[in-house]
Amino acid sequence: MRRKLLLAVWMLANVVVVFSLSLYQSGYTLKGYVPAYGKDALKYSPVLYAKPDDKPVRVLYELDRHGGISYYYVWPTESTGKPLVDRLYDYIRRLFYGSSADVEPVTVYPRNRTITFESYSHRRVWAKFVDGDCYVVGGEVVENCTVNGTHVKVYVVTWNHAFSLVPQSGLVRVNLTPEPMTPWEYAHYAIFRRANESIREAAIRSLILAVIVTALLNATGYYLLVRRKGWEKIKRKLKRGS
């Protein structure tokens, strides 16, 4: 009995170590649970505005090794307004991410007061917020873009939850308290995969792989069953068996 218990503990310890190393290598840190970092996460959390009928249900934050605080806004799903398209896209997201949830990050770097996120057409936006105004890389200036000089106002501008610093009509403020992202939530929402590979890239890669595998299987089958007359041998064996 004692030997079985020790074996179970040993196996559990191995799982924990491997899981922890995988998380660390992917970029996850536990800084969000350190009080000082937690205060910074609350101090610099963006003020989000979204449609009244399409608001995120939670926001999770995670601190990276470069001083950035990423705020992950979680929607239950994405909706184009076309039921058939929505069902298909929902199915694809489940296959790719393991969940139908849409998770969109906004990252703030407190040291140099910089904010970054994806905007229209997946364009990456970078901006500095100084004295209440935002200076977007590329020349645009958005005045009065913060609350208390640290909370940048961010607006949801597309059906798939892209962001903008430019005020939009018809949106309401989303009142959510940022929570530190647990290792389980990091894994559940496939954060590493979302940050490093798009669904389009994965679909193209999977399609190419499917074509290659299909071609190899068919070529192998043709060689074994036709060129080697394997099909005739199989039929003779079946006749003998009957």
Side-chain angles (χ1 to χ4, degrees), residues 45-65:
S45 60
V47 175
L48 190 75
Y49 291 82
K51 290 184 178 179
D53 58 348
D54 188 25
K55 295 189 291 186
V57 294
R58 63 191 311 201
V59 54
L60 304 167
Y61 68 84
E62 199 265 321
L63 290 94
D64 63 30
R65 300 168 192 165

Side-chain angles (χ1 to χ4, degrees), residues 46-51 54 56 73 75 104-106 115 117-120 125 132 134 140 142-147 151-174:
V47 175
L48 190 75
Y49 291 82
K51 290 184 178 179
D54 188 25
Y73 293 91
W75 281 265
E104 300 294 342
V106 175
I115 186 170
F117 51 79
E118 279 195 353
S119 191
Y120 298 100
V125 170
C134 289
E140 185 180 14
V142 181
E143 297 180 349
N144 191 29
C145 71
T146 69
V147 175
H151 304 278
V152 179
K153 301 174 188 176
V154 179
Y155 303 85
V156 180
V157 291
T158 64
W159 65 267
N160 58 343
H161 309 130
F163 302 115
S164 174
L165 295 175
V166 180
Q168 308 287 318
S169 61
L171 304 185
V172 297
R173 180 169 174 168
V174 179

Side-chain angles (χ1 to χ4, degrees), residues 69-99:
I69 309 173
S70 291
Y71 300 86
Y72 293 92
Y73 293 91
V74 182
W75 281 265
T77 186
E78 291 180 353
S79 177
T80 64
K82 301 175 182 177
L84 184 60
V85 174
D86 289 342
R87 287 189 179 185
L88 177 61
Y89 195 39
D90 182 86
Y91 175 71
I92 292 174
R93 275 204 319 282
R94 287 180 184 274
L95 285 178
F96 187 59
Y97 295 129
S99 167

Side-chain angles (χ1 to χ4, degrees), residues 3-238:
R3 185 177 298 176
K4 290 183 179 179
L5 179 61
L6 289 174
L7 179 61
V9 171
W10 171 253
M11 293 179 65
L12 179 61
N14 276 268
V15 171
V16 171
V17 169
V18 172
F19 183 62
S20 300
L21 289 174
S22 299
L23 283 175
Y24 179 78
Q25 187 176 6
S26 71
Y28 179 82
T29 72
L30 288 170
K31 286 182 179 180
Y33 290 91
V34 177
Y37 289 111
K39 289 180 180 178
D40 275 351
L42 295 177
K43 179 180 179 180
Y44 289 94
S45 60
V47 175
L48 190 75
Y49 291 82
K51 290 184 178 179
D53 58 348
D54 188 25
K55 295 189 291 186
V57 294
R58 63 191 311 201
V59 54
L60 304 167
Y61 68 84
E62 199 265 321
L63 290 94
D64 63 30
R65 300 168 192 165
H66 307 291
I69 309 173
S70 291
Y71 300 86
Y72 293 92
Y73 293 91
V74 182
W75 281 265
T77 186
E78 291 180 353
S79 177
T80 64
K82 301 175 182 177
L84 184 60
V85 174
D86 289 342
R87 287 189 179 185
L88 177 61
Y89 195 39
D90 182 86
Y91 175 71
I92 292 174
R93 275 204 319 282
R94 287 180 184 274
L95 285 178
F96 187 59
Y97 295 129
S99 167
S100 63
D102 183 36
V103 184
E104 300 294 342
V106 175
T107 302
V108 177
Y109 295 90
R111 290 178 187 172
N112 57 11
R113 300 212 162 199
T114 301
I115 186 170
T116 181
F117 51 79
E118 279 195 353
S119 191
Y120 298 100
S121 303
H122 299 284
R123 180 174 63 90
R124 173 62 56 180
V125 170
W126 290 84
K128 291 182 71 70
F129 50 100
V130 181
D131 297 329
D133 298 331
C134 289
Y135 298 84
V136 181
V137 175
E140 185 180 14
V141 179
V142 181
E143 297 180 349
N144 191 29
C145 71
T146 69
V147 175
N148 296 331
T150 58
H151 304 278
V152 179
K153 301 174 188 176
V154 179
Y155 303 85
V156 180
V157 291
T158 64
W159 65 267
N160 58 343
H161 309 130
F163 302 115
S164 174
L165 295 175
V166 180
Q168 308 287 318
S169 61
L171 304 185
V172 297
R173 180 169 174 168
V174 179
N175 296 309
L176 291 172
T177 301
E179 310 167 62
M181 180 179 287
T182 67
W184 322 114
E185 289 164 337
Y186 184 86
H188 172 69
Y189 290 119
I191 298 301
F192 176 74
R193 192 166 200 183
R194 291 176 189 269
N196 291 278
E197 186 175 33
S198 69
I199 290 182
R200 181 181 299 177
E201 291 171 347
I204 292 174
R205 189 187 68 249
S206 298
L207 180 61
I208 293 173
L209 181 62
V211 170
I212 293 174
V213 170
T214 301
L216 289 174
L217 287 175
N218 280 277
T220 302
Y222 174 80
Y223 177 76
L224 293 177
L225 298 178
V226 179
R227 295 294 299 274
R228 297 286 301 269
K229 301 191 183 297
W231 180 241
E232 294 299 327
K233 293 179 182 179
I234 292 174
K235 287 198 294 186
R236 285 198 294 269
K237 287 184 179 180
L238 290 174

